[in-house]
Amino acid sequence: MSAVIEEHHDDHHDHKPTGIGRWLFSTNHKDIGTMYLWFSFTMLFIGGALALVIRAELFQPGLQFVEPEFFNQMTTLHGLIMVFGVIMPAFVGLANWMVPMMIGAPDMALPRMNHWSFWLLPGAFGLLIESLIMSMMGMGSAPNFGWTFYAPLSTTYGPDSTDFFIFSVHMMGISSIMGAINIIATIMNMRAPGMTYMKMPIFVWTWFITAYLLIAVMPVLATAVTMMLTDRNFGTSFFDAAGGGDPVLFQHVFWFFGHPEVYIMILPAFGIISQVVPTFARKKIFGYSSMVYATSSIAFLSFIVWAHHMFTTGMPVATELFFMYATMLIAVPTGVKVFNWVSTMWKGSMTFETPMLFAIGFIFMFSIGGFTGLMLSIVPADFQYHDTYFVVAHFHYVLVTGALYAIYSAVYFWLPKWTGNMYDEKLGKVHFWVSTISVNVLFFPMHFVGLAGMPRRIPDYNMQFAEFNQMATIGAFVFGFSQLILLWNVVKTIRGRSTVKATDQVWEGAEGLEWTIPSPAPFHSFTTPPTVK
C-alpha cells in the first residue's frame, strides 16, 4: 500500500501543467510571484491612464475634457489602483520570488493559500474598474470621494457603486492578510540551517516586518469599510453626526490604518535598495544590524503618528504637539538608512548598471520626499500646506521616485536571475534617464503651486498656476509613455531576444551577505596604492 502511495506521490510530483493551466492552478512561488508582477504592471498602465486624464484636464484653466464629477472619479480610482493595485502587489510578487530563494526554502510555507491570495486580486479590481466602465456608459457613477473615502462623502453622499468598492476593499484586505501570514510562516519556519535572523538578507527583514504591519492594520481598514457599509445600508450612524456619530472618527480609524500602510509601501523598497547598493558598490552593507533596528523603529513609530493627517480637524494643542514630535522622530531611523546606503557606496568599486541608477535615483528623490514630509509635520506650517498640491508633490516623491523606483531597480536587478537572459542595458539606461527627467518635470512644480495655495482634487484653477501646470502635464505624458520602454525591455528579455545569457553570478557575486570581494580589493583609499604581494 505504501509503495502505491509513494508511486502516486511521484507521479503527482512529476506532473507539471503547461499552457494556461500552469498559471491558473500554480502553487509554485515563482509562478505566483510572476503573476503578481504582471498584474501590478497591468494596473500601472490602467492607473497611469487615469492620471493622464487628470493631467490633460489640468493643462490649462477652465473645464476642457471632463466634468468635475468624472474628474473626482479619476482622482479616486487613480489613487486606489496605484496604492492597492500597483505598489503593494509588486512588492508581494518580489517577496514571492525572492524570499524563499534568499532563505534557502523550497517554496512558500503555504502554497495553496499563496495561490488563493493572488487570485482574489483580479476579482477585487474587476469590481472597481467595472464601476468606472458603468460610469462611462452612463449607468451610474464610479467612486468619487478620493482614495481616502472620507465620511460623509462616501457614506451619506456616496454613489451606489460605493458598495462595490467596499466589497473590493474587503477582498484586497483578505488577500493582503493571507500573503502576510504566508511570508511570516515561511521566514520563521523554513530558513536554511545556520541562517539565524541576523544573517537574513535585509530584503527578507524588511518584508518580515512589513508582514506584521499588514496583519496589524488590514483589520482596521476592514472595520472602517464595514462601518461604512452599515451606515449606508443598515441604518447605523457611526459617522453620521445627525444620528450621534462623528465624521472625524472615520478619519481616525482610516489613518490608523493609512499611516502604517504608507510604510508598508516603502519598507520593502528599503530592503531592495539594501540589496542593490552593496552589489554595485562591491562592499557589504554598512551597519547591517542598525538597518534592521532602524526598520523596526520605523514600523513601531508608524503606529503613533496617524493624526498628522488631521492637524486641521481641530485637535487639542497637546495632541498636535505629540503627533508633530512623533512624526519628526521617524526622520531619525530613516536618516540612519540613508546614511548607511551612502556609507556603503563610499570608496566602493562602483559601477552604474540600470539597477544601481534606479537605486541612486531612489535615495536622492526619496530624500526630497522625506524633507517635504518633515515640513508637513510642523503643525502651523501644515495649516497652510494641507490639501494643497504641496502634499501631492510630497507623497508622489515618496511613492513614485521612492517605491516605484525601487520596484524598477528590483526588476532590472533580478530579471537576469528570473529569465536566464540579460536585459538590454542601453534600453534600461534610456528608461532611467527619460523617466527621471520627466518625473521631476511632473512633480517638482507641484511644490510651488501648492505653496502658492492651489488646492488638490479640483479640476479648475486660477490663471496664476497655468505655466507650472502645463509643465507638470508635459512631464506626466512623457513619464507615462516612457514606461513602455520597460515593457519592451522585459518582454525582449523573457523571449531571449538578446544574445547575452546571464551567468550564475550575474552581478559578479555580490548578492546577499556571503560573497567574495573581487581582486584587487576595493577597500584601499584612493591615495594609497594597493600593496603588491
Side-chain angles (χ1 to χ4, degrees):
M1 181 70 185
S2 62
V4 172
I5 293 169
E6 279 176 26
E7 189 179 327
H8 175 76
H9 178 75
D10 288 346
D11 286 351
H12 177 73
H13 188 70
D14 292 341
H15 175 66
K16 290 190 174 66
T18 53
I20 193 79
R22 171 185 169 187
W23 303 104
L24 284 177
F25 307 116
S26 179
T27 52
N28 179 317
H29 72 102
K30 297 175 182 177
D31 286 347
I32 293 170
T34 302
M35 290 194 294
Y36 265 112
L37 288 164
W38 276 114
F39 173 79
S40 161
F41 208 12
T42 307
M43 287 291 139
L44 179 70
F45 285 108
I46 295 172
L50 306 185
L52 293 184
V53 173
I54 295 168
R55 284 312 327 167
E57 178 55 57
L58 292 172
F59 184 71
Q60 58 189 35
L63 297 177
Q64 281 75 241
F65 302 105
V66 296
E67 293 300 311
E69 165 68 13
F70 191 71
F71 185 88
N72 290 346
Q73 295 170 32
M74 292 289 106
T75 54
T76 303
L77 288 170
H78 165 69
L80 289 167
I81 286 169
M82 290 303 196
V83 169
F84 297 109
V86 178
I87 303 294
M88 289 175 70
F91 282 138
V92 177
L94 293 168
N96 262 296
W97 250 106
M98 300 312 300
V99 167
M101 292 161 88
M102 284 178 159
I103 62 172
D107 203 303
M108 297 293 275
L110 305 156
R112 292 190 177 189
M113 193 162 88
N114 203 14
H115 169 256
W116 188 29
S117 66
F118 170 75
W119 281 107
L120 279 172
L121 284 180
F125 284 90
L127 281 175
L128 263 188
I129 293 163
E130 189 181 351
S131 69
L132 179 65
I133 294 167
M134 291 195 298
S135 166
M136 290 163 75
M137 293 168 67
M139 297 161 61
S141 167
N144 58 1
F145 31 68
W147 84 273
T148 53
F149 44 97
Y150 279 3
L153 288 176
S154 56
T155 50
T156 310
Y157 304 108
D160 291 343
S161 63
T162 307
D163 297 326
F164 278 61
F165 156 81
I166 290 169
F167 188 33
S168 170
V169 169
H170 272 303
M171 287 168 70
M172 291 176 220
I174 294 166
S175 166
S176 291
I177 290 171
M178 289 199 301
I181 290 170
N182 209 344
I183 284 165
I184 290 171
T186 305
I187 294 171
M188 292 186 83
N189 298 319
M190 298 182 72
R191 300 192 307 285
M195 178 168 278
T196 60
Y197 282 112
M198 291 310 276
K199 283 184 179 170
M200 297 193 308
I202 298 277
F203 179 69
V204 179
W205 257 116
T206 54
W207 246 114
F208 192 41
I209 292 165
T210 301
Y212 278 106
L213 282 181
L214 278 165
I215 288 173
V217 302
M218 276 303 173
V220 180
L221 177 65
T223 306
V225 294
T226 305
M227 290 196 282
M228 275 173 60
L229 186 75
T230 59
D231 270 15
R232 285 175 55 78
N233 299 296
F234 300 110
T236 60
S237 53
F238 292 109
F239 308 129
D240 183 6
D246 183 3
V248 178
L249 171 66
F250 178 87
Q251 295 191 30
H252 279 293
V253 177
F254 177 83
W255 285 116
F256 191 77
F257 146 80
H259 200 83
E261 162 66 24
V262 300
Y263 286 95
I264 287 163
M265 291 190 285
I266 204 68
L267 290 182
F270 291 165
I272 289 162
I273 303 306
S274 302
Q275 300 299 128
V276 172
V277 168
T279 302
F280 295 100
R282 290 170 179 76
K283 283 168 62 182
K284 285 189 180 182
I285 188 86
F286 179 91
Y288 171 90
S289 55
S290 68
M291 287 298 240
V292 174
Y293 296 132
T295 309
S296 311
S297 309
I298 290 169
F300 169 71
L301 289 169
S302 74
F303 280 100
I304 57 169
V305 296
W306 77 89
H308 68 207
H309 298 268
M310 302 169 52
F311 284 151
T312 57
T313 56
M315 288 188 283
V317 172
T319 314
E320 288 181 334
L321 280 172
F322 169 80
F323 285 106
M324 177 167 93
Y325 291 138
T327 305
M328 288 175 169
L329 202 57
I330 282 200
V332 177
T334 312
V336 168
K337 285 183 161 298
V338 173
F339 176 81
N340 285 8
W341 292 324
V342 174
S343 302
T344 305
M345 291 189 273
W346 175 250
K347 291 192 179 177
S349 293
M350 301 259 286
T351 51
F352 298 98
E353 285 85 0
T354 310
M356 185 60 159
L357 290 177
F358 274 106
I360 293 170
F362 169 96
I363 293 168
F364 187 77
M365 291 181 283
F366 169 78
S367 297
I368 294 175
F371 283 128
T372 54
L374 210 52
M375 291 170 69
L376 286 161
S377 74
I378 302 165
V379 175
D382 183 75
F383 272 60
Q384 302 300 319
Y385 307 145
H386 188 79
D387 265 344
T388 70
Y389 264 82
F390 188 82
V391 181
V392 179
H394 153 69
F395 69 71
H396 281 90
Y397 266 90
V398 173
L399 289 177
V400 179
T401 61
L404 193 63
Y405 262 46
I407 292 163
Y408 289 162
S409 180
V411 167
Y412 284 114
F413 186 55
W414 285 316
L415 200 58
K417 194 178 191 72
W418 297 339
T419 62
N421 303 315
M422 282 304 288
Y423 61 86
D424 185 327
E425 185 65 56
K426 276 186 186 156
L427 266 184
K429 286 191 161 81
V430 168
H431 175 225
F432 170 76
W433 286 111
V434 176
S435 292
T436 301
I437 292 164
S438 59
V439 84
N440 283 291
V441 172
L442 163 56
F443 294 121
F444 208 78
M446 292 184 185
H447 293 107
F448 305 134
V449 295
L451 290 174
M454 180 173 164
R456 332 166 34 175
R457 298 187 178 134
I458 307 289
D460 191 8
Y461 56 86
N462 196 306
M463 196 66 190
Q464 76 189 72
F465 305 129
E467 287 88 349
F468 280 139
N469 270 293
Q470 285 176 0
M471 279 173 64
T473 296
I474 291 164
F477 276 85
V478 177
F479 180 71
F481 284 102
S482 65
Q483 304 325 301
L484 294 168
I485 302 169
L486 173 64
L487 178 63
W488 169 238
N489 206 347
V490 169
V491 170
K492 207 168 85 156
T493 309
I494 291 170
R495 295 175 75 182
R497 287 285 174 83
S498 66
T499 50
V500 185
K501 294 289 171 195
T503 59
D504 287 349
Q505 299 239 308
V506 182
W507 306 112
E508 296 173 20
E511 202 179 342
L513 294 172
E514 300 301 321
W515 49 272
T516 53
I517 299 159
S519 185
F523 293 116
H524 299 288
S525 68
F526 297 122
T527 51
T528 323
T531 51
V532 180
K533 290 181 182 172

